[in-house]
Amino acid sequence: MTLGLEQTRALEERYLMRTYKRGAVDFVRGEGALLWDADGNEYLDFLTGISVCSIGHCHPAVVAAVQEQSARLMHVSNLFYTEPMARLAQRLSESSLGGRVFFANSGTEANECAIKIARKHAHGRGIAAPEIVSFEGEFHGRTYGSLSATPGLARNEALGPMLPGFRSVPRNDAAALREAVGERTAAVLIEPIQGEAGVLPTSEEALLAAREACDESGALLILDEIQTGIGRTGSLWAYQQSPIRPDVITSAKALGGGVPIGACITAPVAADVLEPGDHGSTFAGGPVATAAALAVLEVVDDPALLRRVRELGALLREGLEALDGVRETRGRGLMVGVGLEDGIDAAALGAELLQSGLVVNVPVPGTLWLLPPLVVDSAQVEQAVGLIGKAL
Ligand SMILES: *Cc1c(COP(=O)(O)O)cnc(C)c1O
């Protein structure tokens, strides 16, 4: 017998720390783009666990990989070799920057690895107090390194002190970025599209300025592709649709298809910075998570699927832009932010949509954040547009 929403909520209120604000639903099952709650109501999921279940809930290939691997060998630690980890590292490197990979268990940890690489690389260049430069509005995670690189959250003095050596400049301000990058700079760490900020694309001009400033100063360019990667924007990595090539990318979220895993992937220039003793993790790169990720890449790393992501993204945005109450849409592929007209309460709209069977997120006032599964079909896209139109 399942508890149901009210009893689950009562347990939560007594025993869980109050760190999350949850929607009033208790999900018990998922398949493809659909979710079901404890009362048997069906929902169309245009959030997919914040772009984690990107190839749909309980994708059969991921379920099979997890079942098979977990019945054979779940964990032996990083003291020994395991094949799925090595094969996944090869696949990630060959599909992107061609260097080496470090596995982690989450996005914030993937960024911690990138921050360590940046600092050690800088020390190797004789920089005593290395600095990492980001844009305002970015989100890089909740552990102290990533948190210190997240300007909005790093201002929370109750959690201070933050790590030293981080600074930010206004979003997309190429001149300010060029100005901020200098002889102390270890890295520029930015998102190709700011996700949590409400799907705000980083301009080509800003990306080019970041690349040039890094080339001139010797700093590393790190792209946080934790949300934009794994096909979300219609290419395996978002940078592949931009004019630049980074030195390091970080991945997590959709990489495991629902199983926690993160990865820090380097170009050859940063591949050998970390040496024995510099970093590690007990769980990371374990056989179950890496087998799941290999199954995910088998599905996503497919030109036909990626083309479909771009087409469906265009269909979704076209439909949304025709609705009364929608001011603009932003993003790329199936990562879509919807800017609402003034006076529309986005939080109330999100709650209303949940009631009517559509799961979305409301990251900031005035914006809906849509991350449908990459395997969504055009009828489901039209259904979502219809539900949003009705709720508006
Ligand atoms: C979600 C996210 C993170 C943090 O990932 P966690 O797995 O929650 O630690 C970091 N950067 C970006 C861009 C994200 O979207």
Side-chain angles (χ1 to χ4, degrees):
M1 240 335 255
T2 53
L3 292 176
L5 177 61
E6 288 321 313
Q7 285 185 64
T8 300
R9 186 176 356 217
L11 283 181
E12 158 120 11
E13 279 179 4
R14 167 63 183 82
Y15 293 109
L16 275 143
M17 290 193 198
R18 295 180 171 138
T19 51
Y20 301 106
K21 214 172 119 210
R22 302 190 202 275
V25 57
D26 170 19
F27 288 119
V28 295
R29 191 164 74 82
E31 190 184 318
L34 301 177
L35 283 168
W36 288 270
D37 69 16
D39 297 326
N41 300 307
E42 186 180 291
Y43 299 77
L44 183 56
D45 188 3
F46 266 45
L47 182 57
T48 53
I50 321 181
S51 197
V52 165
C53 302
S54 259
I55 57 171
H57 290 282
C58 303
H59 190 287
V62 176
V63 171
V66 168
Q67 282 177 338
E68 198 274 334
Q69 185 60 53
S70 62
R72 202 140 52 86
L73 181 70
M74 280 198 209
H75 177 83
V76 290
S77 86
N78 280 302
L79 300 176
F80 305 97
Y81 294 98
T82 46
E83 181 182 321
M85 168 168 17
R87 287 179 49 216
L88 180 61
Q90 176 188 26
R91 183 135 202 185
L92 289 172
S93 171
E94 287 180 352
S95 76
S96 62
L97 304 177
R100 299 182 190 276
V101 177
F102 179 86
F103 286 115
N105 309 289
S106 64
T108 195
E109 284 175 75
N111 283 334
E112 292 295 329
C113 177
I115 292 166
K116 270 196 184 176
I117 290 173
R119 285 183 162 190
K120 194 175 175 208
H121 184 260
H123 287 300
R125 295 187 292 122
I127 299 172
E131 199 170 68
I132 292 178
V133 182
S134 299
F135 282 128
E136 292 288 332
E138 272 168 28
F139 179 78
H140 296 298
R142 299 279 189 171
T143 49
Y144 271 100
S146 305
L147 185 64
S148 302
T150 298
L153 297 175
R155 284 185 202 109
N156 184 352
E157 283 170 14
L159 299 178
M162 294 293 143
L163 296 195
F166 292 87
R167 66 188 282 188
S168 57
V169 299
R171 191 177 70 85
N172 280 343
D173 189 334
L177 185 73
R178 276 200 201 90
E179 182 76 27
V181 175
E183 51 190 32
R184 276 187 61 189
T185 309
V188 172
L189 166 59
I190 50 181
E191 296 177 70
I193 301 171
Q194 293 187 354
E196 301 263 331
V199 191
L200 304 176
T202 302
S203 68
E204 282 200 359
E205 192 200 356
L207 291 173
L208 283 166
R211 181 68 275 176
E212 278 165 24
C214 287
D215 288 342
E216 279 162 25
S217 65
L220 296 174
L221 177 57
I222 305 169
L223 284 193
D224 179 338
E225 291 244 24
I226 288 164
Q227 193 170 134
T228 54
I230 317 295
R232 176 52 63 189
T233 67
S235 48
L236 189 60
W237 307 103
Y239 82 82
Q240 290 167 332
Q241 293 179 73
S242 85
I244 57 127
R245 198 177 158 88
D247 302 309
V248 177
I249 55 177
T250 52
S251 179
K253 288 205 164 91
L255 177 58
V259 179
I261 181 170
C264 177
I265 308 161
T266 60
V269 65
D272 294 309
V273 175
L274 295 186
E275 296 165 290
D278 283 338
H279 204 29
S281 163
T282 298
F283 284 121
V288 178
T290 47
L294 280 164
V296 168
L297 286 171
E298 201 57 51
V299 175
V300 170
D301 198 359
D302 165 6
L305 179 135
L306 295 170
R307 185 173 350 102
R308 194 88 187 110
V309 169
R310 299 193 294 273
E311 287 165 4
L312 288 170
L315 180 72
L316 175 60
R317 288 177 66 174
E318 202 177 291
L320 291 165
E321 281 169 11
L323 297 177
D324 281 338
V326 171
R327 188 170 42 77
E328 63 168 7
T329 64
R330 302 180 293 267
R332 189 170 281 235
L334 284 171
M335 178 172 181
V336 176
V338 187
L340 302 169
E341 266 159 23
D342 287 349
I344 297 175
D345 180 343
L349 184 66
E352 168 95 27
L353 286 169
L354 187 62
Q355 280 280 316
S356 69
L358 181 69
V359 181
V360 303
N361 198 7
V362 182
V364 289
T367 298
L368 295 183
W369 184 15
L370 307 180
L371 298 162
L374 309 185
V375 296
V376 73
D377 63 35
S378 55
Q380 289 167 327
V381 166
E382 275 154 21
Q383 189 189 344
V385 171
L387 287 167
I388 294 170
K390 207 162 142 236
L392 277 168

